[in-house]
Structures are given as C-alpha cells and as structure tokens.
Amino acid sequence: DNIVIHDREYIIWDKFSKKHKDWIGRVKNTNTDFLGKNIWLSRSGYETYRNEFIVEAVLNNHNWLIIDPTELSIEDQISIFSSANMVAGIEGTAFHNMIFCENIIDDIIIFSRRTSGKFNGNFPLISNAVSNGHQLKSPKVDSRGDADLDFIFAAIDIELNDRDNCMVSILSNQLSRTFLPESKNLLTDTIRDMSLFLIGKDNGLSLKLMEIAYDRRPNENLRKKITIIKNKMFKHGV
C-alpha cells in the first residue's frame, strides 16, 4: 500500500495563495458602521511605536476613527476590511482578519513596527494573495521606538495644518517627559493637557479636545471646564 501525503496548505511565513483566500474568505459584510470611514487600527498598550498616540491624535483631528480591535467582535473586525474607505495601522494580529472577507477594500496600508523595517512574513503573503492595492510601508524607527511621523502622514495622504503641527509639538514634548508612553491613559492625559493649554488661544480646538478626553475618561472637573468654554463661546457668538 502507498501512503499519500497531501500538499501543504496555509503555513505561517511560508505559504498563502489566492486559492486559500477564496476558500477562507466567505464572510459577507452586514455591518454598515464603518462604511466609507477612514480607520486607524490602534496598537496602543501593545508592542507599537512609542509615538503612535501622536499619530492617533492627529488622525482624530482629521475625522478618522481610532479603533482598538480588541473592543470589537470578530465579525465587526472583519467588516472593517470590506466596508471602510481606508484602513491603516501598524502590523499586528488585527490585519489577519482581512483573509475572512468575501470582498476586501483595496486601500489598506500596513506599517512595519520593527527598527529593521522588516515585516512579519504573513503580511507580504496575505497582501499578494488578496489585494490589488494594499501597501506595506516601512517608516524609519529610531532606537527609542519613535517612528518617522512625516513618513506615516504622507503615506496616508494627511497634510498637516497649523493645528496638527501644534498638536504634534505639544504631544512630542509630553512624550519626552513621560516614562511610560505606552500607558493606555497617556493619550487621554495629553489631549486633556493640550486642551487646557489652548484655552484662550483656540477655544474651538480646546473644546473639541476636552470633549474627546471627557468621552475617554469622564470626570467632574473636565465637565465644568467644558461648560465654561461653551458658555464663553456662546456669549461671543462663536
């Protein structure tokens, strides 16, 4: 008798073809929450750039959705890749979910997270099998773990305005003073600090940032400041 050994199928780092994609990718999108949105898949709190929170703050200012995939169901994570306008983020497990989509959007940009610029071998394999337009980008990452922000913003076609530059400057200064930048509360704290700094300079942006910080972590003092600024803006017809 002969022993028949079947050809290898999907193997991490080694083998993933369009045949595998066609067999696995059968999930139809039924969620319209992300339809037409620009989405950044956050790795805050995990292995990431030390300054990822600055990217998130700027993108939030440009009406991007900053999404922590761990807070979504698997179905919702999958739906992002078939309904969003653009999806970008730092390489990680969340991007593997695109293989389950029946129809995948073309505009997906994945940034390497290593100082070497090399990707986990899965991502080139998957990108070649499922996409016509996916991009794998490798920004420079220095020894501290800070990525080249200009490279990232250019890759996702974000042109920084004066408000963005102010935000980047303040958050970068905050980062240099912070011992644990990967803290999940860091983005909230720095947005709050920046909103207080901007009172009297740009009340509109200050109010927007306060409301973001309050939504992320409500507290009475911040609620009072939001009310005060709203009253001042109403009084002056802003």
Side-chain angles (χ1 to χ4, degrees), residues 3-175:
I3 297 176
V4 177
I5 300 176
H6 195 274
D7 185 29
R8 300 178 305 166
E9 294 304 330
Y10 175 34
I11 299 176
I12 293 176
W13 285 78
D14 187 42
K15 184 178 181 182
F16 185 79
S17 67
K18 188 176 184 303
K19 177 185 70 174
H20 298 121
K21 164 61 184 68
D22 291 342
W23 186 80
I24 295 173
R26 302 186 183 188
V27 178
K28 298 180 184 294
N29 178 43
T30 58
N31 185 338
T32 60
D33 291 347
F34 309 115
L35 186 63
K37 304 291 187 181
N38 292 326
I39 294 174
W40 178 269
L41 295 181
S42 174
R43 283 187 60 84
S44 293
Y46 302 93
E47 183 184 351
T48 185
Y49 307 143
R50 196 174 72 127
N51 56 350
E52 184 192 3
F53 72 98
I54 300 178
V55 177
E56 294 179 357
V58 171
L59 293 183
N60 186 82
N61 201 35
H62 287 260
N63 298 315
W64 279 56
L65 295 181
I66 311 301
I67 291 180
D68 180 350
T70 64
E71 296 179 353
L72 299 179
S73 67
I74 293 298
E75 291 80 5
D76 285 347
Q77 290 184 51
I78 295 171
S79 72
I80 288 174
F81 296 103
S82 58
S83 61
N85 176 59
M86 176 187 288
V87 179
I90 302 162
E91 63 172 313
T93 303
F95 281 98
H96 289 120
N97 287 322
M98 73 174 79
I99 68 176
F100 299 110
C101 297
E102 184 176 58
N103 297 300
I104 306 175
I105 64 172
D106 286 333
D107 218 352
I108 296 175
I109 301 176
I110 307 175
F111 296 97
S112 64
R113 67 173 185 255
R114 295 166 176 80
T115 54
S116 66
K118 293 182 179 180
F119 279 87
N120 177 303
N122 280 324
F123 294 107
L125 282 176
I126 292 172
S127 183
N128 289 335
V130 306
S131 163
N132 294 321
H134 296 185
Q135 300 179 57
L136 303 179
K137 300 284 189 178
S138 297
K140 291 181 180 178
V141 181
D142 66 23
S143 59
R144 297 172 301 177
D146 290 338
D148 183 341
L149 297 181
D150 290 337
F151 179 95
I152 293 173
F153 293 135
I156 55 181
D157 200 25
I158 294 292
E159 185 174 344
L160 271 62
N161 55 37
D162 289 342
R163 287 185 173 187
D164 296 329
N165 287 322
C166 176
M167 184 178 290
V168 170
S169 176
I170 294 172
L171 291 177
S172 295
N173 288 334
Q174 176 74 17
L175 176 60

Side-chain angles (χ1 to χ4, degrees), residues 60 71 184-185 187-189 191-192 195 206-220 222-223 226 230:
N60 186 82
E71 296 179 353
K184 288 188 175 182
N185 290 325
L187 179 57
T188 303
D189 291 342
I191 288 176
R192 179 204 62 210
S195 71
S206 175
L207 177 61
K208 180 178 180 180
L209 294 172
M210 276 192 194
E211 290 175 334
I212 292 170
Y214 183 82
D215 286 342
R216 294 175 68 95
R217 192 172 64 223
N219 69 78
E220 185 62 17
L222 205 53
R223 187 193 66 78
I226 289 172
K230 282 184 175 180

